[in-house]
Amino acid sequence: MRNFSQENIKINNNSSEQAMNFNKKIEFQILLKVFLAFISIYSIVEIFHQKATIGLFPKEVVYQVLGDPLNFIPAKDFIDIATLLHIRLFILNIIFLILLSSLNKIVKYQKYVYPYLINFYLFAIFEVIFLLSLRYLSTIFVYPYLVSFVFLQLSILSLSLFLIKKL
Amino acid sequence: MNYKNISLVSAIFIIFSLIQVLISSVIYFYKIGFSYLNVSQYFIVNNNLISAVTILKVLSPHFLSQILVVFILSHLLQFSKVYKKKVINRVVVCLFFFTFFNIIAVFVVRFFLFGFFYIKTIAFLGFMFFYFLSSIMILKSFFNLSQSRTVTNLKK
């Protein structure tokens, strides 16, 4: 029994060593670099997508979210906003997980992970809260909503470029 | 690699995905509903049956996204040392089964078992139950891991 468990430990050690070596291999680094390049392109494209759908300036966002009663354009329903957040939160969550685990693996100083972790999730929550506040409370929340959106996209871009540089 | 950071990142990922699932259940409640009448109204719009194109528009993005998240959850669940392997494997199998069942339920009801509208509700509730169960199991495992590490550190 003891021999069997010792063999198991040896096998596990070998496989973990192989995994560690694979991380240092050039193929893995190229794969990760290309992937991170795609994420950085996504963060730029998302800004243009936002410009085309909801808008990047306060007037455009207020018009899209609250509508225009004079021209009989209705405001966005709760279900429209929920669908928007449903898609956005899914994409952000996956990107955060991948970027933060890559950061944890690549960078030697582990203290980098916490600021990015707090920054990412805090601004994602802010985006949700301010969009709902804009719809149901006041138009003043359009400014913090846009700031949190732009800040989030820029932090995704900065982290992916930083990781590409560090690899 | 710092395992404390990885477990923290994974735990926050799970909490965030739970928020996302709560939003999706609100959308489900608004668009489909849980009662027999509400679900039947989703399938019959203006005396016409829901078209295959409309179903596919909802089905195709969910196929990718749900399987991806369920894969991440089941992968994280494998690291748990709190529960027996047998229990973990059963939960993972049920999670995958109900995910697949939840996605194809609309298609099955529309084309094969029309009238059995409760199939959709059962599939959705089953998916939700196993999603929450696996998330709570992972969070509990992470919590126990961090607790055991602090205890060993204190002993040292």
Side-chain angles (χ1 to χ4, degrees):
Chain A
M1 191 69 187
R2 188 175 281 173
N3 286 335
F4 179 70
S5 60
Q6 278 173 349
E7 275 174 18
N8 255 356
I9 291 164
K10 274 182 186 175
I11 290 164
N12 283 339
N13 283 341
N14 285 338
S15 57
S16 63
E17 274 172 21
Q18 279 173 2
M20 290 286 276
N21 289 334
F22 182 68
N23 291 341
K24 288 171 191 166
K25 273 187 177 175
I26 193 82
E27 291 94 329
F28 176 76
Q29 290 183 357
I30 291 168
L31 279 175
L32 201 56
K33 268 185 185 177
V34 173
F35 181 75
L36 291 167
F38 267 82
I39 287 185
S40 50
I41 293 166
Y42 159 78
S43 65
I44 298 164
V45 170
E46 185 60 28
I47 293 172
F48 287 104
H49 179 248
Q50 174 86 358
K51 169 95 181 110
T53 52
I54 297 180
L56 266 183
F57 297 102
K59 270 188 181 177
E60 292 171 350
V61 177
V62 170
Y63 178 78
Q64 285 293 329
V65 175
L66 297 176
D68 189 3
L70 294 173
N71 294 320
F72 304 104
I73 295 167
K76 271 197 190 302
D77 290 339
F78 173 73
I79 202 72
D80 292 334
I81 293 173
T83 311
L84 199 82
L85 294 174
H86 174 67
I87 299 164
R88 177 101 177 121
L89 284 184
F90 169 75
I91 295 167
L92 286 180
N93 207 10
I94 296 289
I95 288 175
F96 292 168
L97 180 73
I98 294 165
L99 283 182
L100 290 170
S101 46
S102 310
L103 180 71
N104 192 35
K105 211 164 200 168
I106 294 162
V107 181
K108 283 178 187 170
Y109 305 105
Q110 300 298 335
K111 62 185 177 186
Y112 277 113
V113 176
Y114 291 109
Y116 268 110
L117 182 85
I118 294 164
N119 170 21
F120 277 163
Y121 283 100
L122 203 65
F123 276 93
I125 291 166
F126 278 166
E127 207 183 301
V128 174
I129 292 169
F130 290 135
L131 184 62
L132 289 170
S133 311
L134 167 66
R135 173 65 184 86
Y136 294 104
L137 294 176
S138 167
T139 52
I140 224 165
F141 290 105
V142 70
Y143 297 103
Y145 166 70
L146 282 172
V147 168
S148 52
F149 170 78
V150 172
F151 200 80
L152 202 56
Q153 290 308 123
L154 289 179
S155 45
I156 290 171
L157 182 68
S158 70
L159 182 55
S160 45
L161 291 176
F162 173 70
L163 288 173
I164 289 170
K165 198 187 162 192
K166 277 278 171 189
L167 266 167
Chain B
M1 193 166 75
N2 193 337
Y3 288 98
K4 196 182 161 192
N5 286 351
I6 274 290
S7 47
L8 184 70
V9 168
S10 312
I12 294 177
F13 168 82
I14 288 162
I15 293 166
F16 222 65
S17 66
L18 282 176
I19 296 170
Q20 208 253 344
V21 163
L22 278 176
I23 293 172
S24 67
S25 51
V26 170
I27 295 170
Y28 182 90
F29 180 73
Y30 267 83
K31 281 193 174 172
I32 301 176
F34 291 103
S35 71
Y36 189 86
L37 187 71
N38 286 336
V39 182
S40 67
Q41 280 170 351
Y42 177 74
F43 284 94
I44 305 161
V45 187
N46 299 330
N47 290 328
N48 288 319
L49 284 173
I50 190 168
S51 66
V53 179
T54 315
I55 295 171
L56 281 173
K57 270 182 188 170
V58 182
L59 199 137
S60 64
H62 282 94
F63 238 114
L64 176 74
S65 54
Q66 285 191 357
I67 294 297
L68 187 66
V69 174
V70 165
F71 169 72
I72 294 170
L73 280 186
S74 50
H75 154 260
L76 290 173
L77 203 57
Q78 296 298 324
F79 294 112
S80 169
K81 284 173 184 169
V82 179
Y83 304 97
K84 286 177 185 171
K85 266 277 179 264
K86 216 175 185 180
V87 177
I88 290 171
N89 289 343
R90 278 179 187 169
V91 170
V92 167
V93 168
C94 288
L95 184 63
F96 268 99
F97 170 74
F98 274 102
T99 307
F100 183 69
F101 188 36
N102 180 39
I103 295 167
I104 63 156
V106 178
F107 214 72
V108 170
V109 173
R110 166 67 180 81
F111 292 102
F112 301 107
L113 294 167
F114 193 77
F116 293 90
F117 297 122
Y118 274 125
I119 288 174
K120 178 62 194 157
T121 313
I122 291 165
F124 181 75
L125 290 177
F127 169 66
M128 279 292 150
F129 175 75
F130 283 103
Y131 194 96
F132 273 88
L133 182 71
S134 54
S135 303
I136 288 162
M137 280 168 78
I138 297 164
L139 286 176
K140 199 181 168 191
S141 310
F142 282 143
F143 182 71
N144 278 20
L145 189 75
S146 62
Q147 243 186 359
S148 64
R149 274 187 185 156
T150 46
V151 168
T152 46
N153 284 341
L154 281 172
K155 277 179 183 173
K156 278 177 187 175

